Amino acid sequence: MKQILLILAVLTSSFCAKAQFILTADGWTTETGKQYYVTEIPGSQQELYAKAKVAFTQIYKSAKDVLSYSEPDIIKANGFTDTPFLKQWGMTAHLNMTYSLTVLFKDGKIRFDAPSVGSLYSLDGRGKEIPLYMGKGGGSGLSNFGSIFKKNGDVRYKDAKRSIEEYFNNLISSIITAIENPTVEEDW
């Protein structure tokens, strides 16, 4: 039941929420040009922190293994995802990505820092890892081929860029939705 509610929250939030983060050749940014996204939600710092902690626990399979806390200021998630990003010739390619997402709290505000991606790779047809790089391609060989952006800053792999942005924006939207509309019943 919890997973069904979470899926509905993610789907609803992906349709309702605007993009929080945009991936560029120079890194993450927002529509306001900052490397963090702030949303205003009524509540004290302690209340927002407690609701976010519950939201993270609902979203991650093993929250104790991926979350670190500094109550009531910060929650940091160190996660892994296997996200589909490209369908071609009847096959789906996946992006495997490790990341960190830091969330800070103040009275009435929650700040999401730009995600930090540790490793990013796809698998070839034989299961061999093909590394991808978030920045501009500028080298030769794989460092140039595996860059999401070309040397001049244009996007080389639009599906990978879109998939990474969607993953983080949907994750953030689902956290915000879970904080605003907690699914945990308090009177039980």
Side-chain angles (χ1 to χ4, degrees):
M1 179 67 174
K2 191 165 48 166
Q3 288 178 332
I4 293 171
L5 292 173
L6 178 62
I7 290 169
L8 288 174
V10 170
L11 291 175
T12 303
S13 62
S14 65
F15 291 118
C16 300
K18 62 181 181 175
Q20 294 95 357
F21 285 105
I22 302 161
L23 183 59
T24 70
D26 297 319
W28 292 102
T29 189
T30 61
E31 291 175 351
T32 60
K34 299 190 171 145
Q35 292 185 324
Y36 58 87
Y37 173 77
V38 176
T39 185
E40 294 187 15
I41 300 175
S44 70
Q45 179 183 27
Q46 291 79 10
E47 290 170 339
L48 295 175
Y49 176 87
K51 288 179 181 181
K53 197 170 177 182
V54 170
F56 275 102
T57 302
Q58 291 173 333
I59 290 168
Y60 287 95
K61 291 178 184 173
S62 181
K64 66 180 173 105
D65 295 329
V66 298
L67 299 177
S68 56
Y69 310 99
S70 177
E71 191 170 342
D73 301 312
I74 301 171
I75 296 177
K76 183 175 183 179
N78 296 301
F80 172 82
T81 186
D82 177 11
T83 304
F85 79 97
L86 178 64
K87 289 186 179 186
Q88 245 180 356
W89 304 301
M91 297 176 61
T92 301
H94 290 255
L95 283 176
N96 296 300
M97 177 171 50
T98 60
Y99 64 88
S100 294
L101 180 66
T102 303
V103 185
L104 296 93
F105 303 90
K106 282 187 177 181
D107 289 342
K109 293 183 181 181
I110 299 175
R111 171 179 155 166
F112 294 86
D113 284 348
S116 172
V117 176
S119 65
L120 179 64
Y121 61 91
S122 187
L123 299 176
D124 68 8
R126 298 177 304 256
K128 182 180 176 193
E129 292 180 4
I130 302 170
L132 291 170
Y133 304 97
M134 301 272 282
K136 298 178 198 175
S140 59
L142 277 179
S143 66
N144 190 33
F145 176 74
S147 298
I148 292 175
F149 295 91
K150 296 177 184 176
K151 209 178 199 180
N152 65 3
D154 291 344
V155 179
R156 175 178 284 121
Y157 298 114
K158 291 179 182 164
D159 290 324
K161 176 186 181 299
R162 178 193 44 76
S163 181
I164 294 167
E165 288 173 341
E166 283 179 1
Y167 176 78
F168 286 112
N169 289 328
N170 288 340
L171 175 62
I172 291 167
S173 293
S174 66
I175 293 166
I176 292 169
T177 299
I179 292 168
E180 292 177 328
N181 307 305
T183 57
V184 176
E185 198 172 308
E186 295 190 20
D187 294 329
W188 50 276

